[in-house]
Amino acid sequence: MVGSFILLLIFVLNGADGSHIVGGRDAASHSRPYMASLQVRGQHNCGGALVREDFVLTAAHCAIPVPYKVVLGADSLSGNEDTQQEFTAVRSFPHPSYDGHANDIMLLKLNGRAQLTEAVQLISLNAGRLGRANKCLTAGWGDIGDNNTLPSTLQEVNVTILSQQRCRKRWGMVPITSSMVCGIGVRVLQGFCSGDSGGPLVCDGAAAGIVSFSGRRCGDPRTPDVYTRISSFSTWITSVLNNN
């Protein structure tokens, strides 16, 4: 099964891969104030979303053996912006049933509480049904051409939600569970790619999914992008937040 698809993060401390949007566009400056950059040794490694002043939601496959530096309020990761706030992730909560494929969700507790500003904001969680009528997008920093071309600012791309039936048919033998949601770009070769892990799928202004895995070719509609469906884990998220 592992050979049939690519998990979006293979952790390597030296030269860890970054978030990866192909066929997207520059996000308006600080228009996605919930975005978090999870960094190792100064390099962006995974994305995330700020769901409480001291908690970031990301993917379980982003778990690493060293603490992340978490950067909030960033537009460009190469500059020293006054809007940026930096924290250390002092504890990680990967879902206890994460098996390397399903239940790919994790919460990170920060060593302090973010100050909410115009550039740093919380995002609410989507608890409703998703379909083609939803206005969705995903965002991230990293290679924009599937060829190690890095953007200067945060990138975003529109996402069209696919039905479970269509997604399962396209993925074939790879299991697509009810706790996953699938999406494709408006055009071919649009979407996330190897490394855009943990970033949010945002539908109608709320976080509905978490970047989990995709196919061998970025943006290929034959192997739609797969996100962890956040609404499937509402009880678990609430429990972790309330107990910490």
Side-chain angles (χ1 to χ4, degrees):
M1 181 176 68
V2 174
S4 300
F5 64 91
I6 301 175
L7 283 176
L8 286 186
L9 177 72
I10 299 175
F11 172 68
V12 181
L13 267 177
N14 291 320
D17 200 20
S19 152
H20 200 125
I21 294 289
V22 293
R25 59 186 178 274
D26 291 346
S29 181
H30 302 296
S31 62
R32 310 296 170 201
Y34 48 78
M35 288 295 298
S37 171
L38 311 184
Q39 301 183 2
V40 182
R41 296 181 180 175
Q43 292 187 329
H44 176 83
N45 198 62
C46 274
L50 189 67
V51 294
R52 200 173 78 181
E53 287 89 342
D54 57 345
F55 265 96
V56 165
L57 186 65
T58 186
H61 77 262
C62 287
I64 58 175
V66 296
Y68 272 120
K69 180 173 79 171
V70 179
V71 179
L72 305 173
D75 182 29
S76 170
L77 297 181
S78 61
N80 246 345
E81 299 169 309
D82 294 338
T83 56
Q84 292 187 15
Q85 300 178 38
E86 295 185 3
F87 299 89
T88 299
V90 292
R91 192 172 177 192
S92 61
F93 299 86
H95 194 276
S97 297
Y98 173 59
D99 61 5
H101 177 57
N103 309 304
D104 190 11
I105 185 171
M106 178 170 67
L107 282 158
L108 297 178
K109 183 172 176 61
L110 309 182
N111 66 333
R113 296 179 69 86
Q115 179 181 357
L116 299 185
T117 65
E118 187 175 344
V120 176
Q121 291 288 321
L122 308 180
I123 189 168
S124 59
L125 304 183
N126 186 307
R129 296 175 61 87
L130 295 175
R132 294 182 67 89
N134 293 97
K135 301 295 185 183
C136 302
L137 62 84
T138 191
W141 293 273
D143 188 342
I144 56 176
D146 201 8
N147 58 4
N148 296 318
T149 302
L150 301 180
S152 58
T153 60
L154 181 70
Q155 299 290 295
E156 64 184 23
V157 65
N158 293 345
V159 176
T160 298
I161 302 299
L162 287 184
S163 69
Q164 292 287 97
Q165 182 180 8
R166 291 179 66 191
C167 187
R168 286 170 179 154
K169 183 176 181 180
R170 294 188 190 188
W171 269 103
M173 296 297 292
V174 176
I176 302 298
T177 71
S178 60
S179 62
M180 299 174 183
V181 59
C182 301
I184 57 174
V186 177
R187 303 192 309 272
V188 175
L189 304 183
Q190 280 190 320
F192 60 73
C193 196
S194 52
D196 195 14
S197 303
L201 170 69
V202 179
C203 297
D204 302 323
I210 301 167
V211 171
S212 186
F213 66 89
S214 190
R216 294 185 179 277
R217 188 182 183 200
C218 303
D220 188 344
R222 293 174 297 180
T223 50
D225 293 341
V226 180
Y227 303 82
T228 303
R229 187 186 299 269
I230 289 175
S231 62
S232 298
F233 300 92
S234 298
T235 301
W236 175 78
I237 292 170
T238 300
S239 175
V240 173
L241 295 180
N242 287 346
N243 291 325
N244 293 276

